[in-house]
Each structure stands twice: as C-alpha cells, then as structure tokens.
Amino acid sequence: MSLEESVFLLFSSPTSLLGAFVVLLVLYLVSQSFIAQEKRKEPPGPWPLPLLGNLLLMDRKSPHKTLFELSKKYGSVFTVYFGPMKVVVLAGYKTVKQALVNNAEDFGDRNITPVFHDMSHGGHGVLFANGDSWKEMRRFALSTLKDFGMGKRLAEEKILEECHHLIKVFEKHEGKPFDTALPFNHATSNIISSLVYGSRFEYTDPRFINMVKRSNETVRLLGSASLKLYDMFPWLLKWIKNRRLLLKNLETNIMAFADLIQNLKETLDPETSRGVVDSFLILQQKEEAEHHMDTHYHDMNLKLTVANLFGGGTETTSTTLRWCLLFMAKYPQIQEQVQEELNRVIGSRHVRVEDRKYLPFTDAVIHETQRLASILPMSAPHETSRDVTFQGHFIKKGTVVFPLLTSVLHDQTEWENPNTFNPSHFLDNEGKFMKRDAFMPFSAGKRACLGESLARMELFLFFTSLLQHFRFTPPPGVSVDELDLTPVVGLTIGPSPHELCAINRQ
C-alpha cells in the first residue's frame, strides 16, 4: 500500500479522523512541553509515568538512596515525580547551602503535605505552618526556650539531673543486655517537658509513658509506605488504617497536653513563668485584655506548638544517642579512646558543657555519629515562595523542594571517607576539634531545627556521662563483627532493634 493510500484510509472515517486528531494533539502538547522546558530550563530528571510518576524507580525502603543515585546522573538540582507530585531535589553541600542559606526567602516556605495538614489542623503550630502565624510561633518558641536555658546553664542543670536518672535505669540491668530505646526516649522527652511545663515526669508515670509511646508511634506511622501514598493520592486514600491511627494518637496526645496546660493555667502567676506554656498563657491573657482579634496566641496554636516541641525534642536526639552507643560497642577501640580522654581530662567529676573544648576526640565521635547515621536523610519538605531561577534552572512558585541532607553529610567532595565511621573527619593534624561547613544534620536557613543548641547539649552531656560510668558491649555470644549496623528507615533513620550490655566501670 502506498503512502497516499495509507493517509487516505487514516482520514476516510470519523473514527479514524478522531484518532488522528488525538495523536496530533498529544504530539503537539509534548512538543510544546519540551519547548517550554527548554525555554525555561527547568531541572532535568527521569521521564515520569502517568499517575505513578517515578515511583517505580524508587527504593521503597530507602527512597533517599535512589535520590542520591539520581543526583549523580542528573546533577545537584533535578526533578522527580512522587506519583503526580512534582518535586525538585537539591543534592550536595554547595547546592543545599546556596538554596537554604543564600536564597533563604525563595526556599523558606514549608510544603504542607496532606498528612501534615491533618496533623497541624490546617497549618497551626511551629513545624507545619507558613505565613505570619508560623513566623510568630517560631519567634516565640526560640526566644522562650532561650529564656528557659536552651544553650545556657539552666538547661545544663536539667540535663545533668536527667543523666542521673538515666544512669540509674542503666544500672538496674546489672550488665545484662537491654534495649536502650525506651530509656533514651524517656530521658530526652523529660528535657523538653521540663522546659515546656516547668517540671519533669517520673519514668513510671503512666500518663508520661503513654504520651511518649504515642509520639514514637506517630513517628513510625509517618514513615510508613501507606501514609506516603496518602500524601500522593489524598483523594483516594483518606480511609487507610495508618492515617486513622495517626490522627487518633495525635488527638489523644493533644488532650493530654490540654490537661497539663489546664493545670498550669489554674496555678498561673503572671509575674513568674515556669516554662514555655506559662509564657504563652501570659501573652494570651495580654492579647485578650487588649482585645486583639487577630492574635496568634490561641489555644490551637498552644496545643500544637507543645505537641511539635514534645515530638521534635524526643525522637531525633534519642535516635542519635542510640547510634552513639551502638557505634561504641561496634568499635571498642574508639570507645577506649573516648574513655581515656574522659579519664585524663575529667576524672570522676561531672562533665560540663564548658569541658567540650578540652575533649576534642569525644566531640569528634559525637559529630561523626551524627554525620554517618544521617538520621534525617531528607529535610522536611520545603516549597518555593516565588518563581526562582536557581543554578540556571527555572523553579515555579509553589514547587515542592526536598533538600537531601544525606547527600550533604556523605558528599564525596567534602568528606575524605564519607561511608566510614571516622572521627578524624572532625580533627586537624594536631588532634584539635575542627568544625566542618558541610556538617548540616539540623538543616539550615529559616527552617533549621529550632532546638539545635539544646540537642547539642543533650548529646554531649548524655553521651559523656554514660561513657564515664559504663563500657558498652554486644550481648554475650554476639561478636563485634556480628553487631548489625543496618538502619531502619522511616521518618528518621534509626538502628535496627538491638540490645547492648552496659558494664559498670566503677
């Protein structure tokens, strides 16, 4: 059949004509898409499938690993599709810093996914919010936490008191194997509780135990595949079990927080603030007295800010401490060096924050744990606040942006041995501690972790206090080589479930 005959048959019937029109329309739209992309130089990336996007490319258990590999092919600024959701990924130290620090306003908004929208009741609190409410709540939280000692001597005393309680818990196991997860969760939760409420909880308090349990469960659920799918297809998956469990846990914890807040409200002294809650209530009363109708100091912001601080101040620090002890058991020669330095510099007295500068190896071990464990492989999603031209790429206003923090902490151009536990990454030739610009576990810019200074104090004081008192080993019958460092990936990256022995050194 000749070409002319083929063309004639193609257009000889209404059905064929319609089919030809559809084909031509698709070709036209695709060509225009390519022209527009070339014209605006949008970030490159793998070709997405309809509806699924690039999901079939992703490592289901560790999507950050796939993104890291894609950055090697497509560059430090590239596009992927999580289902129908377009995401621009930022990889490597220089690119992440340039975006979050040098272009902080452009990349400073929070992308509030459907699950975060559910959790924040539409954008309240200090983590999953934007605009004036977020700015005021973050300003309030930062200034008030500093007032109550974050990064100062008062917080140091609270942490040292909690170290005493934690050591007692470890001693009760009498050198037998136990899981460190729950004791660390309780200890770190108590630090933020003492700053927020003005007092700590006993580890046996059922109310406290249940709040911590629900917060841990919330973190686990947020890392589940079903909730990630809900974020991509919220109109289809509102009914899923994990979403219902998440919202139930959150509401139950908010009710518990509300009861604690009510007790503080009934005993409030406007002249003497005991913690973050008191400071909020005093400001709330002032705003009400002045009849401010558009105040951000309302009950929903209070309850959700407390929930954000309680959850955020527990999981990440607790998980990092678990990695610290696991690495010490895995690398006993490094543990011995830490303890030798502690013996030589501190002796039997309590370690203080001011001792950090005299303990360079110990400080380097803590930093290297944070770097290698990379417990937050991707920063919580950002969003562009306006149209941006970044590194020659056009990124439209409202685009979801993932700063890939693990690519910063494992950047081969910044770290000599990025995939190896090597405290020398933070030591100079004379053995002095050396700051590294590419050390960015708390993210950076406008959305950097507001509790960074508190977390740094906790990690240093808990770790040194425990290493003064105990030597950590694998359980009997488990060799150092058999100690598993395989991570469990969820919202954070934690160690696989494991037990350690805490052998008393004294």
Side-chain angles (χ1 to χ4, degrees), residues 247-267:
L247 296 181
K248 181 181 178 182
N249 277 349
L250 180 64
E251 292 307 314
T252 305
N253 258 4
I254 286 177
M255 289 173 61
F257 298 147
D259 287 342
L260 291 166
I261 290 168
Q262 183 59 35
N263 290 336
L264 291 172
K265 187 180 291 188
E266 291 172 357
T267 56

Side-chain angles (χ1 to χ4, degrees), residues 214-228:
R214 286 189 294 266
S215 290
N216 291 340
E217 180 72 4
T218 294
V219 171
R220 186 190 69 79
L221 291 169
L222 284 171
S224 66
S226 60
L227 282 184
K228 291 175 182 176

Side-chain angles (χ1 to χ4, degrees), residues 295-364:
T295 180
H296 299 299
Y297 291 90
H298 49 73
D299 288 348
M300 185 56 70
N301 256 345
L302 174 56
K303 288 183 284 192
L304 285 170
T305 296
V306 168
N308 294 162
L309 292 173
F310 187 81
T314 298
E315 169 64 21
T316 52
T317 306
S318 173
T319 299
T320 303
L321 286 166
R322 290 174 64 209
W323 276 116
C324 281
L325 297 192
L326 183 59
F327 283 140
M328 292 303 92
K330 182 71 173 179
Y331 305 112
Q333 72 280 8
I334 292 178
Q335 182 175 192
E336 289 173 8
Q337 285 181 262
V338 171
Q339 290 174 330
E340 185 281 326
E341 186 176 65
L342 288 170
N343 290 343
R344 174 167 40 85
V345 176
I346 306 299
S348 59
R349 69 172 175 83
H350 291 305
V351 181
R352 312 292 305 206
V353 171
E354 62 190 21
D355 294 318
R356 187 195 299 267
K357 57 182 174 289
Y358 305 114
L359 297 167
F361 187 79
T362 301
D363 202 12

Side-chain angles (χ1 to χ4, degrees), residues 23-43:
V23 170
L24 291 172
L25 179 62
V26 169
L27 289 173
Y28 171 78
L29 292 174
V30 169
S31 67
Q32 290 301 305
S33 175
F34 277 118
I35 292 170
Q37 182 170 341
E38 179 63 26
K39 182 179 179 181
R40 298 190 301 182
K41 294 184 180 179
E42 293 183 351

